[in-house]
Amino acid sequence: VQHQFFSLDGSLLYCAPQVCIAMAAQVDKTKFVDLLDALCKPDRATRQKAEMLYQQAKQSEPDGLMLGLLAVLGSADVQESLRRQSAVLLRQLVTRGHEKDFAFARITQQHQQEFAAELLRVFEHEASTKVQSKIGDVVSKLADHVCNKDDPRGSLAPGSPSGWPAFLPQLFRMADASSSTSPQSCEAAMRVILEALPTVKGDVVEAKQRLGHLLQAGLSDANLRLRTASLLLVCGIVNETDKAAWAPLLQTGAMLIQVLKQLAEAGEEDLLQEAVQAFIDVASTEPDFFKPQLTASTEPAKFMATVARSRDNVTNGMRGLALEWLVTYLEKRVKWLTKHLSQYPAMVLEACMDFLLEVDADEEEVKAWAARMDDEEGDEDEDELLHVGEQSLDRIAEAVGIDDLSQPLFRLIGHFLSQEPWQAKLAALAAVKQTVEYLEEKSHIDEMAQLLLQHLDHPHPRVRFMALHAIGQLANDQSPTFQEAWHQTVMPALMKMMDDPIDRVTAMAMSAFVSFAETLDTSLMSSYSQPFMEKLVAKLQTTQHRGVREESITSVAVIAGNIGKAFSQYYDVMMPVLKQFIMNATGEKESRLRGKSFECMSLLGIAVGKDKFLPDAQGAISEMLKTSLDADDMQREYIKEASERICQCLKRDFAQFLPSLLPGVLKTLKFDQVGEAIAQNADDNEMYVKVTASDGKLVQVHSQKFEEMKQSLQLLMCFCTEVEGAYFDFVQPTAEVLMPLLANVDAEFAAWCEEVRCICLQVWGLIIKVARSGSDERGLSPDVAQGLLSTVLRTAFVMFDKKRDAETLCGVTSGITSCIKNVGKRIIQDAEVKQIVEKMFALIDQSLARSRRAASEKKQNSAGVPRELGDEENDDQDWEEGEEEQLRRNCEETLGAVMEVAAEHFRPCLPLCGERISTWLQSEQTKVLGLYLACDLLLHLKEQSVPIWPVFMKQVFASLALGDGEDPDARTAAAYAIQMAAPFDSFNEAAPEAFRRLAQIVGGQKPKKRDTKGKLALDNAVAAMVAMAKHKANLCPPDIQAWPLALSRLPIRDDEEEARKVHGTLVDLVMAQDPGVLGGPSRGNLGRLLSIFAEVYLQRNICIEETEEKIKQVFKLIPADMLQSLAFSFTEKQQKKIEKMLSS
């Protein structure tokens, strides 16, 4: 068969029955040069013709194409730019990927071997540094394919230990500075080895003697570029291999730091940036590599700190990288540094504070800053170092903790505040803003609040701006403590600052108001709403400043969201204003203004209710539908969120808009609409990926498509949740669009769309719920819901069999749990129960097996590691193991869902569950999993679970113990198990000990603010104590005051699900006149109870609407004189809430 393709003028470009590298001379090189030249021409027609010929050659004659390009690449007489272009194309052709582009895989084995040999020859003999670098890119990319031991199909030498036997020997020879006469070639070879390391690291490590020799020679060479390449290779090996493999490289530490210093002295900033970035990568993945040098000389920390704090002859980018190394290392090894280099955190803090000073004091620049909008380009560039310093401070505070950081931090803040220049004060306020989140003590919060308020009158606008910004941050991070203590001072101050002469400062005052008022209790906000509304409406009517308009609208929305129905008095004034903005704010820079108008309109609707809002909602939806699907991301996001809020407001009445909205939403979930033409017109083809559509056709999709799909799925979740059974008529078309996304097994789809698939499963669960409720409302059989569940289970089981990565399986199991819960009872039968239970246990077993293999590999890899490199940071979580733990927990939750909807059919599985629990409780790795399975049995099978109580009850009590080594997750599960067992008579014998264990937790030390797991464990212990006091009061030991203990920790806030249940239980007990909760005949607990009720009232995250109504009844039943006598029990906020309840 004769192979041929043609040149641009139609003449024969190449023709041969066989292609051989040795026949390169027969190739008409000129024709390939012409082709490359045409591909680079500015003339579109010429370029498109050349592209067409290139694509044809790539498909029909890959051998000839690769031969011709390689011939051009190896020809010194060809223009250098075309040779580099040839290398770029060859790199694409040897890159493993989609079959259409991966031409190397389609040439014969002989041609592959000859091509590889010639490529190495051309690489070694190339004289041009730039071209040699480009050839090196081709070499390393080819090595990624042919040397891949996980997939030996690409090997150039089948059966050989190496897929490319000549590769490493030649690269080692070229990289050896002791024998090479060309530092350029040595550097190029080093960089190729570095690039190929992920694939050939095993072979590189095995050649340790040769490797050590060339690294020693490279680091000792006179050529600084070669020394830098050697440094990069050392760092690459440390990053890619385990500790035992890279431990011998510790002896290079001093030489590496010397290279950094030499680069700095020589002013080679590009190379220095590359080297420091490599150090950052090592600090992130293998921070122990730096321990010996840090211990001996505090290097490279001292060098990095010096560079970070240098202002002369060092670019901002270089300073930022140096600080990044310091912060990264602190994050990774905070315990070791605290023990061995206690001065390290303070050193990094000082560097950060220097960055915060880096703002331009020039008067013209300050004017430009004042005129610039926050969303306009330029701001980030102008204050680059300020922002880097702020972000670094935040990371330092999170890593070190405020207890250890407060002394040096507060000292630096005070030092900067004492200085006269406004930049110093700005730096101090910025430091406050970034660290207030981590404050624990109320005295510290008050001190920071006072400090910020003192600077609102500073003459410099940037200082006022930063003080306001920090007040807003303080309000976000320390809510509601800050608001309740400071509202009488802060709210008038913010009102005043809304009239600042600098519009940008005015806008920030409004932003701070938004943060402060958003979580200010409604009872307190009511007294401020009118003056602020008057101020904001006036601003909207008079200002032309876009930022002030945007923040004014957001501020109005916050007031509406806070005071709810009471906003009705302002509704008729604000709604026309918002409509005007929606109609007229169509300019290029007005997307946010228009988006915020939609946002505010929807929030006003939620505040005043659907009866008043419905007519305006119709107009809002109409305008949203007019907005192009190609609208900018910002406006599209605002419209999406506004649509969700309108749906939440109208609920079932929103169904009238679904016929207009759904087609557009569902359309975005299809790939079929996207064609090849998009990628051809794109400037950046890397933004496009190929996926398989529902009809099997391969289409190119912009990566932004996946974000749009997530937004559409979130909209569907809202529609189903709020519209409920009224969505029934749209279940079928929705399912038809979702199923191709759920069932797609394409590899590219999995890589890009796994998050989309997970959200799809959640939506599927909701349409099952809609189908069930809709059929019940219509008096129909639940066949639709049953069919949807059966379909998704079949799809999920296929994925369970094909997928092995924990992250993917986590998403699938979570979605399946929702589907099972939402289908309701009397649907799942024996066969399905058995199938699901077996599959979940199998997934757990497979996950545990993967964890054991990973632990074994880790142990093997750590063998022979020097003692000083032992990992002291036990809190560094293994991400993969974390995913496995979450997968196992998800599988258990799926079992719980089956128990919930099919308890009778699950009962035969009880002995198997007992066996599993018994096994899991014997291991620390699975103890919590076993406890949660026990909890679900107690919750759903109730006293039918008693036969296996002996399997887990001993561990339940053991897990309630307090101590440094006790797992708060286990404590949470154990407390929940006590709560579930409390109502049963079978628990009577264990009740006294349960009271004692719970009392130790509830009466113990309160967890730190950032101890999330500890706080959840405490909340569950309180909930368990309430359950025990309710059901087993007569069995409580006399030395334990169960109700006073529990009430001292109420209300609970962190476990919101438990909070809603506990607060509801408490109200029911009070309404039933339960003597225990009331405190006996004297009702000694009444004041505390009423304080709790007032506190949770109108806090929907911890108190449901039904409970709120009961709370109002309780207060109205209590005589006025009794309430008056208990007034000392109530805070200012609680008193105002009580007044509002009594007057309603």
Side-chain angles (χ1 to χ4, degrees), residues 10 92 141 166 176 254 291 293 315 318 405 419 424 532 577 601 641 654 679 704 743 884 953 968 1009 1053 1057:
Q92 296 172 357
K141 190 55 69 174
D176 191 346
K291 281 183 179 179
Q293 288 301 312
T315 64
M318 186 67 254
L405 199 66
Q419 299 178 38
F532 272 98
V577 176
M601 183 179 286
E641 291 178 357
F654 190 82
Q704 179 62 33
E884 294 290 358
M953 273 303 173
K1009 177 183 175 183
R1053 299 180 183 276
E1057 183 178 352

mmCIF file of all heavy atoms in Angstrom, residues 10 92 141 166 176 254 291 293 315 318 405 419 424 532 577 601 641 654 679 704 743 884 953 968 1009 1053 1057:
data_model
loop_
_atom_site.group_PDB
_atom_site.id
_atom_site.type_symbol
_atom_site.label_atom_id
_atom_site.label_comp_id
_atom_site.label_asym_id
_atom_site.label_seq_id
_atom_site.Cartn_x
_atom_site.Cartn_y
_atom_site.Cartn_z
ATOM 1 N N GLY A 10 -0.487 21.517 -3.769
ATOM 2 C CA GLY A 10 -1.106 20.349 -4.391
ATOM 3 C C GLY A 10 -0.107 19.324 -4.857
ATOM 4 O O GLY A 10 -0.492 18.228 -5.271
ATOM 5 N N GLN A 92 2.935 17.375 20.853
ATOM 6 C CA GLN A 92 1.518 17.019 20.852
ATOM 7 C C GLN A 92 1.310 15.605 20.297
ATOM 8 O O GLN A 92 0.487 14.839 20.808
ATOM 9 C CB GLN A 92 0.730 18.021 20.019
ATOM 10 C CG GLN A 92 0.749 19.444 20.585
ATOM 11 C CD GLN A 92 0.124 20.451 19.637
ATOM 12 O OE1 GLN A 92 -0.289 20.104 18.525
ATOM 13 N NE2 GLN A 92 0.079 21.704 20.067
ATOM 14 N N LYS A 141 8.119 14.060 27.175
ATOM 15 C CA LYS A 141 6.725 13.657 26.960
ATOM 16 C C LYS A 141 6.654 12.259 26.349
ATOM 17 O O LYS A 141 5.768 11.459 26.722
ATOM 18 C CB LYS A 141 6.032 14.678 26.059
ATOM 19 C CG LYS A 141 4.528 14.494 25.951
ATOM 20 C CD LYS A 141 3.832 14.485 27.302
ATOM 21 C CE LYS A 141 3.839 15.824 27.978
ATOM 22 N NZ LYS A 141 3.033 15.809 29.227
ATOM 23 N N ALA A 166 17.534 3.154 26.078
ATOM 24 C CA ALA A 166 18.590 4.143 25.811
ATOM 25 C C ALA A 166 18.344 5.465 26.534
ATOM 26 O O ALA A 166 19.252 6.307 26.604
ATOM 27 C CB ALA A 166 18.685 4.393 24.307
ATOM 28 N N ASP A 176 26.163 14.611 33.114
ATOM 29 C CA ASP A 176 27.355 14.490 33.954
ATOM 30 C C ASP A 176 28.332 15.626 33.658
ATOM 31 O O ASP A 176 29.045 15.604 32.655
ATOM 32 C CB ASP A 176 28.013 13.135 33.721
ATOM 33 C CG ASP A 176 29.097 12.840 34.749
ATOM 34 O OD1 ASP A 176 29.507 13.777 35.460
ATOM 35 O OD2 ASP A 176 29.523 11.672 34.826
ATOM 36 N N ALA A 254 23.112 21.866 52.334
ATOM 37 C CA ALA A 254 23.928 23.074 52.419
ATOM 38 C C ALA A 254 24.272 23.609 51.039
ATOM 39 O O ALA A 254 24.297 24.827 50.807
ATOM 40 C CB ALA A 254 25.200 22.786 53.217
ATOM 41 N N LYS A 291 14.588 19.803 57.708
ATOM 42 C CA LYS A 291 14.826 19.788 59.154
ATOM 43 C C LYS A 291 16.305 19.882 59.532
ATOM 44 O O LYS A 291 16.667 20.680 60.406
ATOM 45 C CB LYS A 291 14.200 18.537 59.770
ATOM 46 C CG LYS A 291 12.703 18.628 59.994
ATOM 47 C CD LYS A 291 12.202 17.358 60.670
ATOM 48 C CE LYS A 291 10.706 17.416 60.927
ATOM 49 N NZ LYS A 291 10.211 16.174 61.560
ATOM 50 N N GLN A 293 18.932 21.196 58.050
ATOM 51 C CA GLN A 293 19.499 22.522 57.819
ATOM 52 C C GLN A 293 18.878 23.563 58.738
ATOM 53 O O GLN A 293 19.554 24.460 59.241
ATOM 54 C CB GLN A 293 19.308 22.935 56.355
ATOM 55 C CG GLN A 293 20.187 22.176 55.376
ATOM 56 C CD GLN A 293 21.665 22.348 55.691
ATOM 57 O OE1 GLN A 293 22.141 23.462 55.904
ATOM 58 N NE2 GLN A 293 22.388 21.249 55.714
ATOM 59 N N THR A 315 11.955 41.843 43.119
ATOM 60 C CA THR A 315 10.599 42.092 42.632
ATOM 61 C C THR A 315 9.564 41.612 43.645
ATOM 62 O O THR A 315 9.852 40.805 44.534
ATOM 63 C CB THR A 315 10.353 41.353 41.307
ATOM 64 O OG1 THR A 315 10.439 39.941 41.540
ATOM 65 C CG2 THR A 315 11.374 41.756 40.252
ATOM 66 N N MET A 318 9.142 37.838 43.609
ATOM 67 C CA MET A 318 10.188 37.099 44.324
ATOM 68 C C MET A 318 9.954 37.166 45.832
ATOM 69 O O MET A 318 10.084 36.170 46.544
ATOM 70 C CB MET A 318 11.554 37.697 43.971
ATOM 71 C CG MET A 318 12.746 36.922 44.540
ATOM 72 S SD MET A 318 12.919 35.304 43.799
ATOM 73 C CE MET A 318 12.364 34.242 45.117
ATOM 74 N N LEU A 405 0.047 32.513 69.273
ATOM 75 C CA LEU A 405 0.411 33.624 68.391
ATOM 76 C C LEU A 405 0.096 34.991 68.993
ATOM 77 O O LEU A 405 0.634 36.010 68.554
ATOM 78 C CB LEU A 405 -0.337 33.478 67.056
ATOM 79 C CG LEU A 405 0.210 34.255 65.858
ATOM 80 C CD1 LEU A 405 1.578 33.734 65.461
ATOM 81 C CD2 LEU A 405 -0.760 34.151 64.680
ATOM 82 N N GLN A 419 3.072 54.151 65.567
ATOM 83 C CA GLN A 419 3.811 54.941 64.585
ATOM 84 C C GLN A 419 2.890 55.965 63.930
ATOM 85 O O GLN A 419 1.697 55.740 63.771
ATOM 86 C CB GLN A 419 4.437 54.029 63.526
ATOM 87 C CG GLN A 419 5.441 53.028 64.101
ATOM 88 C CD GLN A 419 6.008 52.108 63.035
ATOM 89 O OE1 GLN A 419 6.264 52.529 61.916
ATOM 90 N NE2 GLN A 419 6.200 50.846 63.387
ATOM 91 N N ALA A 424 1.516 52.607 58.503
ATOM 92 C CA ALA A 424 1.712 51.730 59.656
ATOM 93 C C ALA A 424 0.380 51.397 60.319
ATOM 94 O O ALA A 424 0.123 50.258 60.715
ATOM 95 C CB ALA A 424 2.658 52.378 60.655
ATOM 96 N N PHE A 532 -31.945 53.760 59.042
ATOM 97 C CA PHE A 532 -31.067 53.226 58.002
ATOM 98 C C PHE A 532 -31.785 53.153 56.658
ATOM 99 O O PHE A 532 -31.180 53.424 55.617
ATOM 100 C CB PHE A 532 -30.519 51.849 58.410
ATOM 101 C CG PHE A 532 -29.256 51.925 59.214
ATOM 102 C CD1 PHE A 532 -29.290 51.847 60.588
ATOM 103 C CD2 PHE A 532 -28.025 52.114 58.597
ATOM 104 C CE1 PHE A 532 -28.136 51.932 61.349
ATOM 105 C CE2 PHE A 532 -26.855 52.198 59.340
ATOM 106 C CZ PHE A 532 -26.902 52.112 60.714
ATOM 107 N N VAL A 577 -37.807 51.273 42.674
ATOM 108 C CA VAL A 577 -36.392 51.618 42.509
ATOM 109 C C VAL A 577 -35.625 50.438 41.925
ATOM 110 O O VAL A 577 -34.816 50.585 41.002
ATOM 111 C CB VAL A 577 -35.770 52.039 43.864
ATOM 112 C CG1 VAL A 577 -34.271 52.296 43.722
ATOM 113 C CG2 VAL A 577 -36.476 53.272 44.410
ATOM 114 N N MET A 601 -34.564 42.144 45.167
ATOM 115 C CA MET A 601 -35.980 41.936 44.889
ATOM 116 C C MET A 601 -36.443 40.596 45.458
ATOM 117 O O MET A 601 -37.511 40.488 46.092
ATOM 118 C CB MET A 601 -36.224 41.985 43.383
ATOM 119 C CG MET A 601 -37.678 41.840 42.988
ATOM 120 S SD MET A 601 -37.931 41.919 41.195
ATOM 121 C CE MET A 601 -37.707 43.669 40.905
ATOM 122 N N GLU A 641 -29.428 32.643 41.942
ATOM 123 C CA GLU A 641 -29.751 32.716 43.366
ATOM 124 C C GLU A 641 -31.082 33.440 43.594
ATOM 125 O O GLU A 641 -31.852 33.060 44.487
ATOM 126 C CB GLU A 641 -28.625 33.418 44.108
ATOM 127 C CG GLU A 641 -27.334 32.590 44.146
ATOM 128 C CD GLU A 641 -26.203 33.308 44.854
ATOM 129 O OE1 GLU A 641 -26.406 34.476 45.263
ATOM 130 O OE2 GLU A 641 -25.118 32.719 44.985
ATOM 131 N N PHE A 654 -44.911 28.661 42.664
ATOM 132 C CA PHE A 654 -43.844 28.861 41.685
ATOM 133 C C PHE A 654 -44.012 27.934 40.485
ATOM 134 O O PHE A 654 -43.424 28.164 39.437
ATOM 135 C CB PHE A 654 -42.484 28.607 42.345
ATOM 136 C CG PHE A 654 -41.297 29.007 41.498
ATOM 137 C CD1 PHE A 654 -40.862 30.317 41.440
ATOM 138 C CD2 PHE A 654 -40.604 28.052 40.758
ATOM 139 C CE1 PHE A 654 -39.777 30.684 40.666
ATOM 140 C CE2 PHE A 654 -39.516 28.406 39.983
ATOM 141 C CZ PHE A 654 -39.102 29.729 39.933
ATOM 142 N N ALA A 679 -14.333 24.782 19.585
ATOM 143 C CA ALA A 679 -12.910 24.680 19.882
ATOM 144 C C ALA A 679 -12.067 25.260 18.762
ATOM 145 O O ALA A 679 -11.012 25.829 19.003
ATOM 146 C CB ALA A 679 -12.532 23.222 20.120
ATOM 147 N N GLN A 704 -16.137 25.769 31.196
ATOM 148 C CA GLN A 704 -17.161 26.567 31.853
ATOM 149 C C GLN A 704 -18.520 25.875 31.816
ATOM 150 O O GLN A 704 -19.374 26.111 32.679
ATOM 151 C CB GLN A 704 -17.258 27.937 31.168
ATOM 152 C CG GLN A 704 -18.315 28.871 31.748
ATOM 153 C CD GLN A 704 -18.049 29.214 33.200
ATOM 154 O OE1 GLN A 704 -16.895 29.308 33.606
ATOM 155 N NE2 GLN A 704 -19.097 29.398 33.983
ATOM 156 N N ALA A 743 -25.383 7.843 33.852
ATOM 157 C CA ALA A 743 -24.934 6.568 33.292
ATOM 158 C C ALA A 743 -23.665 6.678 32.457
ATOM 159 O O ALA A 743 -23.105 5.657 32.049
ATOM 160 C CB ALA A 743 -26.065 5.970 32.438
ATOM 161 N N GLU A 884 -11.401 7.519 52.180
ATOM 162 C CA GLU A 884 -11.853 6.146 52.460
ATOM 163 C C GLU A 884 -12.750 6.122 53.693
ATOM 164 O O GLU A 884 -13.781 5.438 53.717
ATOM 165 C CB GLU A 884 -10.648 5.230 52.663
ATOM 166 C CG GLU A 884 -9.784 5.016 51.427
ATOM 167 C CD GLU A 884 -10.453 4.174 50.344
ATOM 168 O OE1 GLU A 884 -11.596 3.711 50.547
ATOM 169 O OE2 GLU A 884 -9.826 3.983 49.291
ATOM 170 N N MET A 953 -22.659 -2.126 73.668
ATOM 171 C CA MET A 953 -22.905 -1.199 74.766
ATOM 172 C C MET A 953 -21.660 -0.917 75.601
ATOM 173 O O MET A 953 -21.442 0.203 76.067
ATOM 174 C CB MET A 953 -24.032 -1.714 75.655
ATOM 175 C CG MET A 953 -25.417 -1.310 75.202
ATOM 176 S SD MET A 953 -25.606 0.496 75.074
ATOM 177 C CE MET A 953 -27.241 0.591 74.343
ATOM 178 N N PRO A 968 -13.152 12.484 69.625
ATOM 179 C CA PRO A 968 -14.446 13.179 69.770
ATOM 180 C C PRO A 968 -15.516 12.619 68.848
ATOM 181 O O PRO A 968 -16.708 12.682 69.173
ATOM 182 C CB PRO A 968 -14.108 14.638 69.437
ATOM 183 C CG PRO A 968 -12.813 14.586 68.692
ATOM 184 C CD PRO A 968 -12.084 13.392 69.205
ATOM 185 N N LYS A 1009 -13.181 27.403 70.375
ATOM 186 C CA LYS A 1009 -14.056 27.857 69.299
ATOM 187 C C LYS A 1009 -13.839 27.068 68.007
ATOM 188 O O LYS A 1009 -14.787 26.758 67.289
ATOM 189 C CB LYS A 1009 -13.815 29.350 69.054
ATOM 190 C CG LYS A 1009 -14.619 29.930 67.907
ATOM 191 C CD LYS A 1009 -14.266 31.382 67.675
ATOM 192 C CE LYS A 1009 -14.981 31.938 66.453
ATOM 193 N NZ LYS A 1009 -14.592 33.329 66.163
ATOM 194 N N ARG A 1053 -25.934 24.848 69.637
ATOM 195 C CA ARG A 1053 -25.937 25.554 68.352
ATOM 196 C C ARG A 1053 -25.177 24.832 67.235
ATOM 197 O O ARG A 1053 -25.478 25.024 66.065
ATOM 198 C CB ARG A 1053 -25.309 26.941 68.514
ATOM 199 C CG ARG A 1053 -26.039 27.848 69.493
ATOM 200 C CD ARG A 1053 -25.355 29.208 69.598
ATOM 201 N NE ARG A 1053 -25.991 30.065 70.580
ATOM 202 C CZ ARG A 1053 -27.063 30.818 70.342
ATOM 203 N NH1 ARG A 1053 -27.608 30.810 69.131
ATOM 204 N NH2 ARG A 1053 -27.586 31.578 71.275
ATOM 205 N N GLU A 1057 -29.220 19.912 63.852
ATOM 206 C CA GLU A 1057 -30.298 18.916 63.834
ATOM 207 C C GLU A 1057 -30.676 18.522 65.260
ATOM 208 O O GLU A 1057 -31.855 18.459 65.613
ATOM 209 C CB GLU A 1057 -29.857 17.692 63.041
ATOM 210 C CG GLU A 1057 -30.936 16.635 62.919
ATOM 211 C CD GLU A 1057 -30.512 15.442 62.079
ATOM 212 O OE1 GLU A 1057 -29.426 15.514 61.471
ATOM 213 O OE2 GLU A 1057 -31.260 14.453 62.042
#
